[in-house]
mmCIF file of all heavy atoms in Angstrom:
data_model
loop_
_atom_site.group_PDB
_atom_site.id
_atom_site.type_symbol
_atom_site.label_atom_id
_atom_site.label_comp_id
_atom_site.label_asym_id
_atom_site.label_seq_id
_atom_site.Cartn_x
_atom_site.Cartn_y
_atom_site.Cartn_z
ATOM 1 N N GLU A 99 -24.827 -8.353 12.434
ATOM 2 C CA GLU A 99 -24.744 -6.930 12.830
ATOM 3 C C GLU A 99 -25.081 -5.998 11.667
ATOM 4 O O GLU A 99 -25.666 -4.940 11.836
ATOM 5 C CB GLU A 99 -23.322 -6.565 13.277
ATOM 6 C CG GLU A 99 -22.882 -7.142 14.582
ATOM 7 C CD GLU A 99 -21.413 -6.804 14.819
ATOM 8 O OE1 GLU A 99 -21.052 -5.628 14.829
ATOM 9 O OE2 GLU A 99 -20.621 -7.752 14.965
ATOM 10 N N ARG A 230 -10.991 -11.174 0.989
ATOM 11 C CA ARG A 230 -11.065 -12.556 1.456
ATOM 12 C C ARG A 230 -12.506 -13.032 1.514
ATOM 13 O O ARG A 230 -13.435 -12.221 1.544
ATOM 14 C CB ARG A 230 -10.461 -12.664 2.862
ATOM 15 C CG ARG A 230 -8.959 -12.603 2.848
ATOM 16 C CD ARG A 230 -8.412 -12.687 4.260
ATOM 17 N NE ARG A 230 -7.125 -12.027 4.303
ATOM 18 C CZ ARG A 230 -5.981 -12.609 4.698
ATOM 19 N NH1 ARG A 230 -5.982 -13.836 5.110
ATOM 20 N NH2 ARG A 230 -4.861 -11.949 4.666
ATOM 21 N N GLU A 232 -14.221 -14.074 3.842
ATOM 22 C CA GLU A 232 -15.018 -13.624 4.979
ATOM 23 C C GLU A 232 -15.250 -12.112 4.977
ATOM 24 O O GLU A 232 -16.050 -11.603 5.759
ATOM 25 C CB GLU A 232 -14.374 -14.058 6.303
ATOM 26 C CG GLU A 232 -13.070 -13.368 6.653
ATOM 27 C CD GLU A 232 -11.825 -14.028 6.070
ATOM 28 O OE1 GLU A 232 -11.950 -14.754 5.061
ATOM 29 O OE2 GLU A 232 -10.730 -13.779 6.597
ATOM 30 N N TYR A 237 -18.608 -6.308 2.986
ATOM 31 C CA TYR A 237 -18.625 -5.201 2.025
ATOM 32 C C TYR A 237 -20.015 -5.067 1.419
ATOM 33 O O TYR A 237 -20.590 -3.967 1.374
ATOM 34 C CB TYR A 237 -17.588 -5.477 0.912
ATOM 35 C CG TYR A 237 -17.486 -4.399 -0.139
ATOM 36 C CD1 TYR A 237 -16.380 -3.575 -0.215
ATOM 37 C CD2 TYR A 237 -18.518 -4.186 -1.050
ATOM 38 C CE1 TYR A 237 -16.280 -2.572 -1.177
ATOM 39 C CE2 TYR A 237 -18.430 -3.193 -2.021
ATOM 40 C CZ TYR A 237 -17.313 -2.394 -2.084
ATOM 41 O OH TYR A 237 -17.241 -1.410 -3.039
ATOM 42 N N SER A 243 -26.502 -1.103 2.981
ATOM 43 C CA SER A 243 -26.954 -0.200 4.034
ATOM 44 C C SER A 243 -26.652 1.244 3.668
ATOM 45 O O SER A 243 -27.503 2.128 3.791
ATOM 46 C CB SER A 243 -26.279 -0.549 5.361
ATOM 47 O OG SER A 243 -26.441 0.519 6.280
ATOM 48 N N TYR A 244 -25.438 1.478 3.183
ATOM 49 C CA TYR A 244 -25.070 2.849 2.811
ATOM 50 C C TYR A 244 -26.027 3.406 1.766
ATOM 51 O O TYR A 244 -26.553 4.513 1.904
ATOM 52 C CB TYR A 244 -23.623 2.908 2.311
ATOM 53 C CG TYR A 244 -23.249 4.265 1.796
ATOM 54 C CD1 TYR A 244 -22.998 5.314 2.688
ATOM 55 C CD2 TYR A 244 -23.219 4.545 0.438
ATOM 56 C CE1 TYR A 244 -22.707 6.594 2.235
ATOM 57 C CE2 TYR A 244 -22.927 5.827 -0.024
ATOM 58 C CZ TYR A 244 -22.667 6.846 0.865
ATOM 59 O OH TYR A 244 -22.392 8.101 0.416
ATOM 60 N N LYS B 96 -8.643 -6.727 7.998
ATOM 61 C CA LYS B 96 -9.829 -6.500 7.157
ATOM 62 C C LYS B 96 -9.830 -5.093 6.561
ATOM 63 O O LYS B 96 -10.192 -4.893 5.406
ATOM 64 C CB LYS B 96 -11.099 -6.681 7.988
ATOM 65 C CG LYS B 96 -11.278 -8.039 8.570
ATOM 66 C CD LYS B 96 -11.447 -9.065 7.475
ATOM 67 C CE LYS B 96 -11.080 -10.435 7.934
ATOM 68 N NZ LYS B 96 -10.212 -11.142 6.988
ATOM 69 N N GLU B 99 -7.554 -4.848 3.617
ATOM 70 C CA GLU B 99 -8.216 -5.381 2.417
ATOM 71 C C GLU B 99 -9.189 -4.370 1.828
ATOM 72 O O GLU B 99 -9.363 -4.291 0.614
ATOM 73 C CB GLU B 99 -9.058 -6.617 2.771
ATOM 74 C CG GLU B 99 -8.288 -7.860 3.101
ATOM 75 C CD GLU B 99 -9.247 -8.950 3.559
ATOM 76 O OE1 GLU B 99 -10.162 -9.322 2.796
ATOM 77 O OE2 GLU B 99 -9.105 -9.427 4.692
ATOM 78 N N TYR B 237 -17.569 -1.180 7.874
ATOM 79 C CA TYR B 237 -18.729 -0.531 7.259
ATOM 80 C C TYR B 237 -18.278 0.749 6.569
ATOM 81 O O TYR B 237 -18.595 0.999 5.404
ATOM 82 C CB TYR B 237 -19.780 -0.226 8.324
ATOM 83 C CG TYR B 237 -21.042 0.446 7.795
ATOM 84 C CD1 TYR B 237 -22.240 -0.245 7.766
ATOM 85 C CD2 TYR B 237 -21.024 1.754 7.327
ATOM 86 C CE1 TYR B 237 -23.401 0.346 7.276
ATOM 87 C CE2 TYR B 237 -22.167 2.352 6.831
ATOM 88 C CZ TYR B 237 -23.364 1.652 6.811
ATOM 89 O OH TYR B 237 -24.492 2.251 6.321
ATOM 90 N N SER B 243 -15.819 2.848 -0.496
ATOM 91 C CA SER B 243 -15.514 2.169 -1.762
ATOM 92 C C SER B 243 -16.751 2.114 -2.648
ATOM 93 O O SER B 243 -16.690 2.396 -3.846
ATOM 94 C CB SER B 243 -15.008 0.743 -1.482
ATOM 95 O OG SER B 243 -15.051 -0.022 -2.674
ATOM 96 N N HIS B 245 -19.353 4.090 -2.735
ATOM 97 C CA HIS B 245 -19.715 5.406 -3.279
ATOM 98 C C HIS B 245 -18.730 5.850 -4.363
ATOM 99 O O HIS B 245 -19.136 6.302 -5.434
ATOM 100 C CB HIS B 245 -19.774 6.451 -2.158
ATOM 101 C CG HIS B 245 -20.359 7.757 -2.598
ATOM 102 N ND1 HIS B 245 -21.600 8.189 -2.188
ATOM 103 C CD2 HIS B 245 -19.906 8.704 -3.436
ATOM 104 C CE1 HIS B 245 -21.876 9.353 -2.759
ATOM 105 N NE2 HIS B 245 -20.851 9.692 -3.517
#
Side-chain angles (χ1 to χ4, degrees):
Chain A
E99 289 174 57
R230 285 179 206 237
E232 69 273 22
Y237 181 110
S243 165
Y244 174 75
Chain B
K96 299 295 157 227
E99 289 174 58
Y237 181 110
S243 164
H245 190 109

